[in-house]
Amino acid sequence: MRRSIHVDGARLKSIRLQLGLTQETVATATGYTDRLVRKLENGGPVNCQTLNDFITYYKMILSRVGTPALERDICFQTLSVQPDSDREAIVRKWFEQAYNQRSLDCVNEVFHPDVLLIAEGQMLQGSEEITKRVAAVLAGFDPLHLEVESVFSQENIVITYWRATKTHAGPFLGIQPTGRTVSIRGNSMAKFQGDKIIEVRDHWDVQDLLAKLT
């Protein structure tokens, strides 16, 4: 069963106008009706997937026509005005502690011992693999700041859209440190078993990062 949520309609409208889009253009591009666009900009309620579809479309347009100033102005964080669930709070805690505070102390608290990690074309098993992977990122980039732009949850799934700004300070993916500060966007899917994450799928553009570093 899909959960309906209320959203920050005024901010969604502001994002649309900053991108120079009409309600009709957005409706046609996303496959929804003008009426649904108006409902969204009036605060909903709509289901999580509907909000996700609109944010995905706006991010695509921003990546095509956006300037650095516009990217700074447009923030997709907390467009849902519904309070975080406990599982959303767990995911936010992980991102904050592991990446922004550079601490892996909560790995065993957050992840199931047999967690499955799918990322960068690999399938890895076990919470120790999570520790190794994040440790490699932290060793390669310092400082690193990860901003959670939006979070969606449905039953035992939490999907997080994030943006990472980081400085290349150590070897990473075979590339020696360049000192460059880069920004990338991605998303992570966390599947829960009880209060532990049993499966993680990370999606981000590896080639885009390599291009920015080289």
Side-chain angles (χ1 to χ4, degrees), residues 44-72:
V46 296
N47 68 59
C48 293
Q49 185 58 52
T50 299
L51 178 58
N52 185 24
D53 290 343
F54 278 84
I55 290 177
T56 299
Y57 172 65
Y58 288 150
K59 286 183 175 180
M60 179 190 70
I61 297 299
L62 181 60
S63 69
R64 291 179 178 177
V65 304
T67 63
L70 185 59
E71 290 190 8
R72 287 194 298 269

Side-chain angles (χ1 to χ4, degrees), residues 115-119 122-125 129-130 133 200 202:
V115 61
L116 174 65
L117 169 64
I118 302 174
Q122 300 182 75
M123 295 180 64
L124 305 172
Q125 191 87 42
E129 296 295 340
I130 299 284
R133 179 171 179 266
V200 179
D202 280 347

Side-chain angles (χ1 to χ4, degrees), residues 7-210:
V7 301
D8 189 338
R11 267 213 7 251
L12 276 170
K13 181 177 180 179
S14 175
I15 290 171
R16 174 177 61 78
L17 293 175
Q18 284 180 277
L19 293 174
L21 302 170
T22 65
Q23 290 183 338
E24 293 76 13
T25 299
V26 173
T28 300
T30 58
Y32 291 99
T33 63
D34 297 1
R35 181 178 179 183
L36 192 282
V37 177
R38 290 193 294 272
K39 179 180 180 180
L40 196 69
E41 293 184 355
N42 285 328
V46 296
N47 68 59
C48 293
Q49 185 58 52
T50 299
L51 178 58
N52 185 24
D53 290 343
F54 278 84
I55 290 177
T56 299
Y57 172 65
Y58 288 150
K59 286 183 175 180
M60 179 190 70
I61 297 299
L62 181 60
S63 69
R64 291 179 178 177
V65 304
T67 63
L70 185 59
E71 290 190 8
R72 287 194 298 269
D73 288 343
I74 293 181
C75 176
F76 295 94
Q77 188 174 7
T78 61
L79 279 168
S80 167
V81 297
Q82 189 158 322
D84 287 348
S85 69
D86 290 342
R87 288 171 174 169
E88 290 175 358
I90 289 172
V91 172
R92 287 182 182 275
K93 176 181 178 180
W94 164 248
F95 282 127
E96 175 61 27
Q97 292 194 6
Y99 294 99
N100 294 337
Q101 297 181 22
R102 306 179 71 84
S103 170
L104 297 175
D105 292 342
C106 65
V107 169
N108 293 331
E109 178 184 346
V110 171
F111 295 95
H112 189 282
D114 298 323
V115 61
L116 174 65
L117 169 64
I118 302 174
E120 292 98 52
Q122 300 182 75
M123 295 180 64
L124 305 172
Q125 191 87 42
S127 56
E128 67 278 2
E129 296 295 340
I130 299 284
T131 300
K132 292 177 184 178
R133 179 171 179 266
V134 178
V137 173
L138 296 179
F141 298 93
D142 188 13
L144 184 157
H145 176 73
L146 191 146
E147 174 192 359
V148 174
E149 294 186 319
S150 53
V151 181
F152 308 96
S153 63
Q154 182 176 343
E155 298 180 354
N156 65 333
I157 301 291
V158 176
I159 299 175
T160 307
Y161 287 85
W162 47 263
R163 176 176 181 171
T165 303
K166 49 194 182 180
T167 300
H168 189 205
F172 188 73
L173 296 180
I175 302 175
Q176 294 302 307
T178 62
R180 295 180 181 177
T181 298
V182 298
S183 180
I184 64 169
R185 281 189 166 97
N187 63 82
S188 301
M189 184 279 287
K191 181 178 181 181
F192 280 80
Q193 180 176 300
D195 61 351
K196 303 284 189 181
I197 299 175
I198 190 65
E199 182 179 327
V200 179
R201 295 173 182 257
D202 280 347
H203 300 279
W204 56 281
D205 192 337
V206 178
Q207 294 304 317
D208 177 54
L209 175 62
L210 294 178

